[in-house]
Amino acid sequence: DAGVTQSPTHLIKTRGQQVTLRCSPKSGHDTVSWYQQALGQGPQFIFQYYEEEERQRGNFPDRFSGHQFPNYSSELNVNALLLGDSALYLCASSFDYSGNTIYFGEGSWLTVV
Amino acid sequence: KQEVTQIPAALSVPEGENLVLNCSFTDSAIYNLQWFRQDPGKGLTSLLLIQSSQREQTSGRLNASLDKSSGRSTLYIAASQPGDSATYLCAVERDNYGQNFVFGPGTRLSVLP
């Protein structure tokens, strides 16, 4: 059983461009969250998707948007990229509700130049 | 606003030592607390989950405690091994939807052979 898979693993973008990151949750998991982890810091919660709806959102601007598909996979879109968006973007999945084991993917490294 | 801090930021110990990692959070109204491990450039692996009504959890050589009233948690690692070298992150869950974590910055542990 594959765990959480993310693509691409690494990418380089120019300021002002747009990027789409993809996540396939662990089999059967219906809840997907995205985190941004800057170098040397802990991950920061971006948003969470459940039943194809954004259920919760962290303190991130509207440039960050997402989508969840009927098969529970998810995309993170970032528009008008800034240098400060350079980070590791992590996807996490679990069955709904707290207390269930959460699984993280290995992340997508985004560098904005 | 919930804030999570971890002490020390980095720790280097010889193999076989017992060690304690510390985590503090500012708002005691949490649902759960989890400890994660992150290897360099990789995703996170959940180590221990402590429900808000519990005081400790154990898994193998790991023991985590939680004192909600004082806003503290500790992760105790017994008989450390070089394979334990990683960054250890503490995270508190803000609600019962799951996955909505506030992370600390982590403690970078090196266990020397």
Side-chain angles (χ1 to χ4, degrees):
Chain A
D1 173 28
V4 180
T5 58
Q6 294 187 242
S7 64
T9 54
H10 294 82
L11 69 166
I12 300 174
K13 290 287 188 178
T14 303
R15 275 179 300 175
Q17 284 189 317
Q18 178 264 345
V19 67
T20 297
L21 308 179
R22 295 175 177 81
C23 172
S24 292
K26 186 173 170 61
S27 179
H29 284 183
D30 55 7
T31 305
V32 172
S33 294
W34 288 91
Y35 284 83
Q36 179 195 67
Q37 186 177 23
L39 207 59
Q41 298 181 22
Q44 285 192 287
F45 176 75
I46 302 175
F47 42 52
Q48 179 185 93
Y49 277 85
Y50 173 70
E51 293 189 342
E52 303 179 54
E53 296 284 335
E54 183 185 290
R55 181 162 65 179
Q56 295 188 318
R57 189 180 183 91
N59 189 26
F60 278 80
D62 292 344
R63 298 187 297 110
F64 290 77
S65 63
H67 190 77
Q68 186 180 34
F69 299 94
N71 66 353
Y72 304 130
S73 67
S74 178
E75 288 182 349
L76 165 65
N77 301 292
V78 187
N79 295 321
L81 285 167
L82 304 174
L83 296 180
D85 294 332
S86 296
L88 177 65
Y89 288 84
L90 295 164
C91 173
S93 77
S94 73
F95 293 109
D96 192 25
Y97 292 111
S98 176
N100 291 309
T101 301
I102 184 171
Y103 293 83
F104 280 82
E106 296 206 337
S108 294
W109 283 98
L110 171 65
T111 301
V112 182
V113 298
Chain B
K1 177 188 172 187
Q2 177 75 271
E3 294 185 357
V4 180
T5 56
Q6 293 186 245
I7 294 173
L11 182 62
S12 185
V13 300
E15 181 177 4
E17 274 205 6
N18 302 323
L19 56 102
V20 175
L21 308 182
N22 296 290
C23 170
S24 298
F25 47 95
T26 54
D27 185 351
S28 62
I30 63 171
Y31 270 79
N32 298 311
L33 183 143
Q34 288 203 42
W35 283 91
F36 292 88
R37 169 186 172 138
Q38 186 174 31
D39 292 291
K42 302 293 187 181
L44 281 67
T45 301
S46 177
L47 297 173
L48 287 167
L49 163 69
I50 309 178
Q51 308 263 4
S52 60
S53 58
Q54 298 174 321
R55 293 193 64 84
E56 67 176 317
Q57 279 287 340
T58 298
S59 176
R61 296 182 293 109
L62 304 179
N63 176 275
S65 67
L66 173 63
D67 184 343
K68 273 184 62 176
S69 61
S70 67
R72 294 181 181 179
S73 177
T74 61
L75 178 66
Y76 176 81
I77 303 177
S80 59
Q81 303 170 357
D84 294 331
S85 298
T87 297
Y88 291 81
L89 296 136
C90 165
V92 298
E93 278 189 79
R94 290 181 274 205
D95 52 52
N96 67 344
Y97 287 118
Q99 302 188 17
N100 185 355
F101 294 107
V102 178
F103 280 88
T107 293
R108 190 171 66 252
L109 173 65
S110 296
V111 181
L112 308 175

